[in-house]
Amino acid sequence: MTAPADDAPLLLVVDDEPSNVDVLRDLLEALGYRTLGAGSGDAALALARDRRPDLVLLDVMMPGMDGLEACRRLKADAATASIPVVFVTALSDARDRARALDAGGDDFLTKPFSRPVLVARIRSLLRLKAAQDQLADSYRRLRELEALKDDLTRMVVHDLKAPLTGILGSLEIVLDGDAGPLSADQRRLLGDAQERGGDLLRMVDNLLDLSRLEESAVQLSPRDLDAARLLREVAGAWSVRAEREGARVAVEAPAGLSVRADEGMVRRVLGNLIGNALRHGGAGVSVRLSAVPAEGDGVKFTVADNGPGIAEADHEFIFRKYGRRSTDSVGDLVEGAAEGVGSGLGLTFCKLAVEAHGGRIWVQSRPGEGAAFHFVLPPRPQGD
């Protein structure tokens, strides 16, 4: 008999009767498989952890640890959980089959078994395991590539921040007149460059904070915030851009409504949502910022506009990292990247920042009916 190839599947045969082990091993080796034998549940577990067989043929009735318990332990161990287990036993009652499958078994054969049936089931389970192993390996490599991409992104973005800050500082000096008088056109162009540079700096900060939020490495600095004051200040910070684009930003919030949260984070969430509304709302869009007591507890903030709206199919997708709306073109992505809108970063940051507080964010919108982004913050953030 020709010896099995070195790369042939390895099968572990477990039975307390040595003659049964020998018969099955001879049969399987004749079919080209490599085999191992074990006479007890404990021995089977040790061999499975050490040799990682591709499949286990397991008797049920054995002294000490029976086959059912051995199977449970195999499936409970991450190192051996993916190994298919076929029970080969003299038991034939339907309840025995049910107990074997409940223990984690993948198949059940009653002695005396049909050789063609045994071979067919072994081959089927080995094909399934090979496919699962390939999928697991692909997923592992994908995670490694994603980790590498994220590391490179953080390095590049971090290195971008210093020269960008220098550019903005130089623009501020020129606009303040420290380098000489400017014409109206020069002041307008330099002011626009400073504003766009600020947008880019916010996107850089979004990227850096996204990485920290994804790794739960951001430490919140919560403080008591007056909701009405916060909304008025945020709206005021956007008033110049809104006026230039013919847009309106209004605030509605009752006096005395407060929440404990990281002010910087919440300001950036509101700023990203306002930037989205101005960018996608079109000329003359109206944006409304509001805050009301949330149902149950906490505060519900809303940034709503009367723009073209968002297709319902995009509601969940737009919060994903690097996601984009189905109506966005490549040009939209490039033009909107500085605002963290088309880049798919701004809304992802909003989602992670709100969730870091223990809150939630969602959108209500239909095409032609505007969009309303809501987020609820609990009275106190998690861990405060």
Side-chain angles (χ1 to χ4, degrees), residues 163-182 186-187 189-198 201:
L164 181 56
T165 302
I167 292 171
L168 290 172
S170 298
L171 287 171
E172 184 176 359
I173 290 172
V174 174
L175 285 167
D176 286 344
D178 295 339
L182 298 172
Q186 289 172 331
R187 182 170 295 279
L189 290 171
L190 289 172
D192 185 64
Q194 185 184 45
E195 191 171 274
R196 294 298 176 180
L201 185 59

PDB file of all heavy atoms in Angstrom, residues 163-182 186-187 189-198 201:
ATOM      1  N   PRO A 163       2.915  71.352   8.843  1.00  0.00           N
ATOM      2  CA  PRO A 163       3.035  72.361   7.776  1.00  0.00           C
ATOM      3  C   PRO A 163       1.721  73.089   7.516  1.00  0.00           C
ATOM      4  O   PRO A 163       1.726  74.277   7.172  1.00  0.00           O
ATOM      5  CB  PRO A 163       3.468  71.539   6.551  1.00  0.00           C
ATOM      6  CG  PRO A 163       3.131  70.125   6.876  1.00  0.00           C
ATOM      7  CD  PRO A 163       3.241  70.002   8.346  1.00  0.00           C
ATOM      8  N   LEU A 164       0.585  72.410   7.679  1.00  0.00           N
ATOM      9  CA  LEU A 164      -0.698  73.065   7.462  1.00  0.00           C
ATOM     10  C   LEU A 164      -0.929  74.164   8.494  1.00  0.00           C
ATOM     11  O   LEU A 164      -1.401  75.262   8.175  1.00  0.00           O
ATOM     12  CB  LEU A 164      -1.827  72.032   7.534  1.00  0.00           C
ATOM     13  CG  LEU A 164      -3.249  72.541   7.317  1.00  0.00           C
ATOM     14  CD1 LEU A 164      -3.369  73.252   5.976  1.00  0.00           C
ATOM     15  CD2 LEU A 164      -4.243  71.388   7.402  1.00  0.00           C
ATOM     16  N   THR A 165      -0.560  73.893   9.745  1.00  0.00           N
ATOM     17  CA  THR A 165      -0.682  74.911  10.791  1.00  0.00           C
ATOM     18  C   THR A 165       0.215  76.110  10.474  1.00  0.00           C
ATOM     19  O   THR A 165      -0.167  77.271  10.688  1.00  0.00           O
ATOM     20  CB  THR A 165      -0.300  74.317  12.159  1.00  0.00           C
ATOM     21  OG1 THR A 165      -1.149  73.198  12.440  1.00  0.00           O
ATOM     22  CG2 THR A 165      -0.457  75.338  13.265  1.00  0.00           C
ATOM     23  N   GLY A 166       1.415  75.837   9.937  1.00  0.00           N
ATOM     24  CA  GLY A 166       2.316  76.922   9.545  1.00  0.00           C
ATOM     25  C   GLY A 166       1.734  77.779   8.436  1.00  0.00           C
ATOM     26  O   GLY A 166       1.843  79.019   8.456  1.00  0.00           O
ATOM     27  N   ILE A 167       1.098  77.143   7.451  1.00  0.00           N
ATOM     28  CA  ILE A 167       0.473  77.883   6.347  1.00  0.00           C
ATOM     29  C   ILE A 167      -0.635  78.789   6.869  1.00  0.00           C
ATOM     30  O   ILE A 167      -0.748  79.960   6.500  1.00  0.00           O
ATOM     31  CB  ILE A 167      -0.071  76.900   5.296  1.00  0.00           C
ATOM     32  CG1 ILE A 167       1.088  76.196   4.591  1.00  0.00           C
ATOM     33  CG2 ILE A 167      -0.951  77.627   4.279  1.00  0.00           C
ATOM     34  CD1 ILE A 167       0.650  75.046   3.701  1.00  0.00           C
ATOM     35  N   LEU A 168      -1.463  78.245   7.749  1.00  0.00           N
ATOM     36  CA  LEU A 168      -2.568  79.032   8.302  1.00  0.00           C
ATOM     37  C   LEU A 168      -2.041  80.202   9.126  1.00  0.00           C
ATOM     38  O   LEU A 168      -2.617  81.304   9.109  1.00  0.00           O
ATOM     39  CB  LEU A 168      -3.471  78.137   9.153  1.00  0.00           C
ATOM     40  CG  LEU A 168      -4.300  77.112   8.378  1.00  0.00           C
ATOM     41  CD1 LEU A 168      -5.012  76.157   9.344  1.00  0.00           C
ATOM     42  CD2 LEU A 168      -5.317  77.822   7.495  1.00  0.00           C
ATOM     43  N   GLY A 169      -0.949  79.966   9.866  1.00  0.00           N
ATOM     44  CA  GLY A 169      -0.362  81.058  10.641  1.00  0.00           C
ATOM     45  C   GLY A 169       0.147  82.178   9.745  1.00  0.00           C
ATOM     46  O   GLY A 169      -0.043  83.367  10.041  1.00  0.00           O
ATOM     47  N   SER A 170       0.780  81.805   8.630  1.00  0.00           N
ATOM     48  CA  SER A 170       1.278  82.813   7.691  1.00  0.00           C
ATOM     49  C   SER A 170       0.126  83.592   7.058  1.00  0.00           C
ATOM     50  O   SER A 170       0.204  84.819   6.884  1.00  0.00           O
ATOM     51  CB  SER A 170       2.117  82.151   6.599  1.00  0.00           C
ATOM     52  OG  SER A 170       3.257  81.514   7.158  1.00  0.00           O
ATOM     53  N   LEU A 171      -0.942  82.919   6.711  1.00  0.00           N
ATOM     54  CA  LEU A 171      -2.111  83.588   6.136  1.00  0.00           C
ATOM     55  C   LEU A 171      -2.710  84.581   7.126  1.00  0.00           C
ATOM     56  O   LEU A 171      -3.131  85.678   6.756  1.00  0.00           O
ATOM     57  CB  LEU A 171      -3.154  82.552   5.723  1.00  0.00           C
ATOM     58  CG  LEU A 171      -2.844  81.729   4.478  1.00  0.00           C
ATOM     59  CD1 LEU A 171      -3.856  80.592   4.313  1.00  0.00           C
ATOM     60  CD2 LEU A 171      -2.852  82.620   3.237  1.00  0.00           C
ATOM     61  N   GLU A 172      -2.737  84.192   8.397  1.00  0.00           N
ATOM     62  CA  GLU A 172      -3.288  85.086   9.416  1.00  0.00           C
ATOM     63  C   GLU A 172      -2.449  86.356   9.539  1.00  0.00           C
ATOM     64  O   GLU A 172      -2.989  87.471   9.671  1.00  0.00           O
ATOM     65  CB  GLU A 172      -3.360  84.360  10.752  1.00  0.00           C
ATOM     66  CG  GLU A 172      -4.013  85.185  11.854  1.00  0.00           C
ATOM     67  CD  GLU A 172      -4.164  84.400  13.143  1.00  0.00           C
ATOM     68  OE1 GLU A 172      -3.784  83.198  13.179  1.00  0.00           O
ATOM     69  OE2 GLU A 172      -4.655  84.988  14.128  1.00  0.00           O
ATOM     70  N   ILE A 173      -1.132  86.197   9.483  1.00  0.00           N
ATOM     71  CA  ILE A 173      -0.240  87.361   9.563  1.00  0.00           C
ATOM     72  C   ILE A 173      -0.501  88.315   8.395  1.00  0.00           C
ATOM     73  O   ILE A 173      -0.614  89.540   8.571  1.00  0.00           O
ATOM     74  CB  ILE A 173       1.231  86.904   9.573  1.00  0.00           C
ATOM     75  CG1 ILE A 173       1.549  86.197  10.900  1.00  0.00           C
ATOM     76  CG2 ILE A 173       2.168  88.084   9.353  1.00  0.00           C
ATOM     77  CD1 ILE A 173       2.914  85.547  10.931  1.00  0.00           C
ATOM     78  N   VAL A 174      -0.620  87.756   7.187  1.00  0.00           N
ATOM     79  CA  VAL A 174      -0.847  88.587   6.004  1.00  0.00           C
ATOM     80  C   VAL A 174      -2.202  89.279   6.092  1.00  0.00           C
ATOM     81  O   VAL A 174      -2.332  90.479   5.805  1.00  0.00           O
ATOM     82  CB  VAL A 174      -0.750  87.736   4.723  1.00  0.00           C
ATOM     83  CG1 VAL A 174      -1.134  88.566   3.504  1.00  0.00           C
ATOM     84  CG2 VAL A 174       0.663  87.190   4.551  1.00  0.00           C
ATOM     85  N   LEU A 175      -3.242  88.551   6.507  1.00  0.00           N
ATOM     86  CA  LEU A 175      -4.576  89.126   6.593  1.00  0.00           C
ATOM     87  C   LEU A 175      -4.682  90.185   7.674  1.00  0.00           C
ATOM     88  O   LEU A 175      -5.491  91.115   7.581  1.00  0.00           O
ATOM     89  CB  LEU A 175      -5.604  88.015   6.844  1.00  0.00           C
ATOM     90  CG  LEU A 175      -5.925  87.147   5.633  1.00  0.00           C
ATOM     91  CD1 LEU A 175      -6.704  85.898   6.047  1.00  0.00           C
ATOM     92  CD2 LEU A 175      -6.729  87.943   4.607  1.00  0.00           C
ATOM     93  N   ASP A 176      -3.862  90.082   8.717  1.00  0.00           N
ATOM     94  CA  ASP A 176      -3.851  91.102   9.772  1.00  0.00           C
ATOM     95  C   ASP A 176      -3.140  92.379   9.339  1.00  0.00           C
ATOM     96  O   ASP A 176      -3.128  93.377  10.078  1.00  0.00           O
ATOM     97  CB  ASP A 176      -3.183  90.552  11.036  1.00  0.00           C
ATOM     98  CG  ASP A 176      -4.070  89.558  11.771  1.00  0.00           C
ATOM     99  OD1 ASP A 176      -5.286  89.527  11.481  1.00  0.00           O
ATOM    100  OD2 ASP A 176      -3.548  88.812  12.626  1.00  0.00           O
ATOM    101  N   GLY A 177      -2.528  92.363   8.148  1.00  0.00           N
ATOM    102  CA  GLY A 177      -1.853  93.547   7.630  1.00  0.00           C
ATOM    103  C   GLY A 177      -0.423  93.689   8.072  1.00  0.00           C
ATOM    104  O   GLY A 177       0.214  94.722   7.792  1.00  0.00           O
ATOM    105  N   ASP A 178       0.120  92.699   8.754  1.00  0.00           N
ATOM    106  CA  ASP A 178       1.491  92.799   9.250  1.00  0.00           C
ATOM    107  C   ASP A 178       2.521  92.779   8.123  1.00  0.00           C
ATOM    108  O   ASP A 178       3.684  93.168   8.332  1.00  0.00           O
ATOM    109  CB  ASP A 178       1.788  91.663  10.227  1.00  0.00           C
ATOM    110  CG  ASP A 178       0.940  91.752  11.493  1.00  0.00           C
ATOM    111  OD1 ASP A 178       0.446  92.858  11.788  1.00  0.00           O
ATOM    112  OD2 ASP A 178       0.770  90.730  12.169  1.00  0.00           O
ATOM    113  N   ALA A 179       2.118  92.308   6.922  1.00  0.00           N
ATOM    114  CA  ALA A 179       3.046  92.267   5.794  1.00  0.00           C
ATOM    115  C   ALA A 179       2.750  93.368   4.781  1.00  0.00           C
ATOM    116  O   ALA A 179       3.266  93.351   3.664  1.00  0.00           O
ATOM    117  CB  ALA A 179       2.969  90.895   5.109  1.00  0.00           C
ATOM    118  N   GLY A 180       1.922  94.303   5.156  1.00  0.00           N
ATOM    119  CA  GLY A 180       1.590  95.398   4.249  1.00  0.00           C
ATOM    120  C   GLY A 180       0.116  95.402   3.897  1.00  0.00           C
ATOM    121  O   GLY A 180      -0.609  94.438   4.157  1.00  0.00           O
ATOM    122  N   PRO A 181      -0.341  96.505   3.303  1.00  0.00           N
ATOM    123  CA  PRO A 181      -1.766  96.621   2.952  1.00  0.00           C
ATOM    124  C   PRO A 181      -2.157  95.649   1.844  1.00  0.00           C
ATOM    125  O   PRO A 181      -1.333  95.259   1.012  1.00  0.00           O
ATOM    126  CB  PRO A 181      -1.893  98.079   2.503  1.00  0.00           C
ATOM    127  CG  PRO A 181      -0.516  98.460   2.050  1.00  0.00           C
ATOM    128  CD  PRO A 181       0.435  97.700   2.933  1.00  0.00           C
ATOM    129  N   LEU A 182      -3.445  95.257   1.836  1.00  0.00           N
ATOM    130  CA  LEU A 182      -3.988  94.345   0.837  1.00  0.00           C
ATOM    131  C   LEU A 182      -5.136  95.008   0.103  1.00  0.00           C
ATOM    132  O   LEU A 182      -5.896  95.791   0.696  1.00  0.00           O
ATOM    133  CB  LEU A 182      -4.505  93.062   1.509  1.00  0.00           C
ATOM    134  CG  LEU A 182      -3.507  92.191   2.265  1.00  0.00           C
ATOM    135  CD1 LEU A 182      -4.242  91.089   3.018  1.00  0.00           C
ATOM    136  CD2 LEU A 182      -2.480  91.592   1.311  1.00  0.00           C
ATOM    137  N   GLN A 186      -7.315  90.800  -2.986  1.00  0.00           N
ATOM    138  CA  GLN A 186      -6.299  90.005  -2.302  1.00  0.00           C
ATOM    139  C   GLN A 186      -6.817  89.495  -0.951  1.00  0.00           C
ATOM    140  O   GLN A 186      -6.628  88.332  -0.590  1.00  0.00           O
ATOM    141  CB  GLN A 186      -5.031  90.840  -2.098  1.00  0.00           C
ATOM    142  CG  GLN A 186      -4.247  91.114  -3.368  1.00  0.00           C
ATOM    143  CD  GLN A 186      -3.108  92.093  -3.146  1.00  0.00           C
ATOM    144  OE1 GLN A 186      -3.182  92.965  -2.261  1.00  0.00           O
ATOM    145  NE2 GLN A 186      -2.043  91.952  -3.943  1.00  0.00           N
ATOM    146  N   ARG A 187      -7.496  90.396  -0.213  1.00  0.00           N
ATOM    147  CA  ARG A 187      -8.032  90.000   1.087  1.00  0.00           C
ATOM    148  C   ARG A 187      -9.085  88.897   0.931  1.00  0.00           C
ATOM    149  O   ARG A 187      -9.144  87.963   1.717  1.00  0.00           O
ATOM    150  CB  ARG A 187      -8.629  91.217   1.794  1.00  0.00           C
ATOM    151  CG  ARG A 187      -9.166  90.921   3.190  1.00  0.00           C
ATOM    152  CD  ARG A 187      -9.512  92.204   3.910  1.00  0.00           C
ATOM    153  NE  ARG A 187      -8.319  93.010   4.150  1.00  0.00           N
ATOM    154  CZ  ARG A 187      -7.473  92.795   5.152  1.00  0.00           C
ATOM    155  NH1 ARG A 187      -7.679  91.789   5.996  1.00  0.00           N
ATOM    156  NH2 ARG A 187      -6.426  93.571   5.311  1.00  0.00           N
ATOM    157  N   LEU A 189      -9.360  86.663  -1.560  1.00  0.00           N
ATOM    158  CA  LEU A 189      -8.738  85.402  -1.977  1.00  0.00           C
ATOM    159  C   LEU A 189      -7.969  84.756  -0.825  1.00  0.00           C
ATOM    160  O   LEU A 189      -8.043  83.542  -0.603  1.00  0.00           O
ATOM    161  CB  LEU A 189      -7.816  85.633  -3.167  1.00  0.00           C
ATOM    162  CG  LEU A 189      -8.507  85.981  -4.491  1.00  0.00           C
ATOM    163  CD1 LEU A 189      -7.478  86.395  -5.540  1.00  0.00           C
ATOM    164  CD2 LEU A 189      -9.326  84.798  -4.995  1.00  0.00           C
ATOM    165  N   LEU A 190      -7.226  85.580  -0.072  1.00  0.00           N
ATOM    166  CA  LEU A 190      -6.469  85.030   1.054  1.00  0.00           C
ATOM    167  C   LEU A 190      -7.411  84.561   2.161  1.00  0.00           C
ATOM    168  O   LEU A 190      -7.142  83.554   2.834  1.00  0.00           O
ATOM    169  CB  LEU A 190      -5.495  86.078   1.593  1.00  0.00           C
ATOM    170  CG  LEU A 190      -4.294  86.392   0.687  1.00  0.00           C
ATOM    171  CD1 LEU A 190      -3.516  87.582   1.225  1.00  0.00           C
ATOM    172  CD2 LEU A 190      -3.381  85.173   0.562  1.00  0.00           C
ATOM    173  N   GLY A 191      -8.504  85.276   2.350  1.00  0.00           N
ATOM    174  CA  GLY A 191      -9.490  84.849   3.350  1.00  0.00           C
ATOM    175  C   GLY A 191     -10.110  83.518   2.972  1.00  0.00           C
ATOM    176  O   GLY A 191     -10.339  82.649   3.831  1.00  0.00           O
ATOM    177  N   ASP A 192     -10.379  83.345   1.667  1.00  0.00           N
ATOM    178  CA  ASP A 192     -10.932  82.062   1.221  1.00  0.00           C
ATOM    179  C   ASP A 192      -9.916  80.943   1.417  1.00  0.00           C
ATOM    180  O   ASP A 192     -10.271  79.834   1.840  1.00  0.00           O
ATOM    181  CB  ASP A 192     -11.323  82.166  -0.257  1.00  0.00           C
ATOM    182  CG  ASP A 192     -12.018  80.912  -0.751  1.00  0.00           C
ATOM    183  OD1 ASP A 192     -13.119  80.609  -0.253  1.00  0.00           O
ATOM    184  OD2 ASP A 192     -11.441  80.223  -1.619  1.00  0.00           O
ATOM    185  N   ALA A 193      -8.631  81.242   1.138  1.00  0.00           N
ATOM    186  CA  ALA A 193      -7.583  80.230   1.341  1.00  0.00           C
ATOM    187  C   ALA A 193      -7.474  79.865   2.819  1.00  0.00           C
ATOM    188  O   ALA A 193      -7.311  78.693   3.176  1.00  0.00           O
ATOM    189  CB  ALA A 193      -6.244  80.758   0.825  1.00  0.00           C
ATOM    190  N   GLN A 194      -7.582  80.860   3.704  1.00  0.00           N
ATOM    191  CA  GLN A 194      -7.521  80.583   5.136  1.00  0.00           C
ATOM    192  C   GLN A 194      -8.707  79.726   5.578  1.00  0.00           C
ATOM    193  O   GLN A 194      -8.554  78.797   6.379  1.00  0.00           O
ATOM    194  CB  GLN A 194      -7.511  81.897   5.913  1.00  0.00           C
ATOM    195  CG  GLN A 194      -7.329  81.702   7.419  1.00  0.00           C
ATOM    196  CD  GLN A 194      -7.427  83.005   8.165  1.00  0.00           C
ATOM    197  OE1 GLN A 194      -8.322  83.814   7.904  1.00  0.00           O
ATOM    198  NE2 GLN A 194      -6.494  83.236   9.091  1.00  0.00           N
ATOM    199  N   GLU A 195      -9.871  80.012   5.038  1.00  0.00           N
ATOM    200  CA  GLU A 195     -11.054  79.246   5.410  1.00  0.00           C
ATOM    201  C   GLU A 195     -10.946  77.806   4.941  1.00  0.00           C
ATOM    202  O   GLU A 195     -11.258  76.867   5.676  1.00  0.00           O
ATOM    203  CB  GLU A 195     -12.292  79.909   4.805  1.00  0.00           C
ATOM    204  CG  GLU A 195     -13.603  79.357   5.330  1.00  0.00           C
ATOM    205  CD  GLU A 195     -14.778  80.194   4.865  1.00  0.00           C
ATOM    206  OE1 GLU A 195     -15.105  81.185   5.527  1.00  0.00           O
ATOM    207  OE2 GLU A 195     -15.342  79.849   3.803  1.00  0.00           O
ATOM    208  N   ARG A 196     -10.510  77.621   3.706  1.00  0.00           N
ATOM    209  CA  ARG A 196     -10.349  76.258   3.182  1.00  0.00           C
ATOM    210  C   ARG A 196      -9.252  75.518   3.930  1.00  0.00           C
ATOM    211  O   ARG A 196      -9.339  74.308   4.159  1.00  0.00           O
ATOM    212  CB  ARG A 196     -10.032  76.295   1.688  1.00  0.00           C
ATOM    213  CG  ARG A 196     -11.165  76.817   0.833  1.00  0.00           C
ATOM    214  CD  ARG A 196     -12.384  75.941   0.934  1.00  0.00           C
ATOM    215  NE  ARG A 196     -13.524  76.478   0.202  1.00  0.00           N
ATOM    216  CZ  ARG A 196     -14.705  75.891   0.134  1.00  0.00           C
ATOM    217  NH1 ARG A 196     -14.899  74.755   0.788  1.00  0.00           N
ATOM    218  NH2 ARG A 196     -15.679  76.449  -0.544  1.00  0.00           N
ATOM    219  N   GLY A 197      -8.193  76.228   4.321  1.00  0.00           N
ATOM    220  CA  GLY A 197      -7.151  75.599   5.117  1.00  0.00           C
ATOM    221  C   GLY A 197      -7.693  75.150   6.469  1.00  0.00           C
ATOM    222  O   GLY A 197      -7.319  74.089   6.983  1.00  0.00           O
ATOM    223  N   GLY A 198      -8.593  75.964   7.046  1.00  0.00           N
ATOM    224  CA  GLY A 198      -9.233  75.563   8.297  1.00  0.00           C
ATOM    225  C   GLY A 198     -10.079  74.318   8.125  1.00  0.00           C
ATOM    226  O   GLY A 198     -10.108  73.444   8.996  1.00  0.00           O
ATOM    227  N   LEU A 201      -7.710  71.457   8.035  1.00  0.00           N
ATOM    228  CA  LEU A 201      -7.206  71.156   9.378  1.00  0.00           C
ATOM    229  C   LEU A 201      -8.251  70.379  10.179  1.00  0.00           C
ATOM    230  O   LEU A 201      -7.912  69.454  10.919  1.00  0.00           O
ATOM    231  CB  LEU A 201      -6.835  72.450  10.100  1.00  0.00           C
ATOM    232  CG  LEU A 201      -6.186  72.286  11.481  1.00  0.00           C
ATOM    233  CD1 LEU A 201      -4.894  71.479  11.379  1.00  0.00           C
ATOM    234  CD2 LEU A 201      -5.933  73.644  12.112  1.00  0.00           C
TER     235      LEU A 201
END
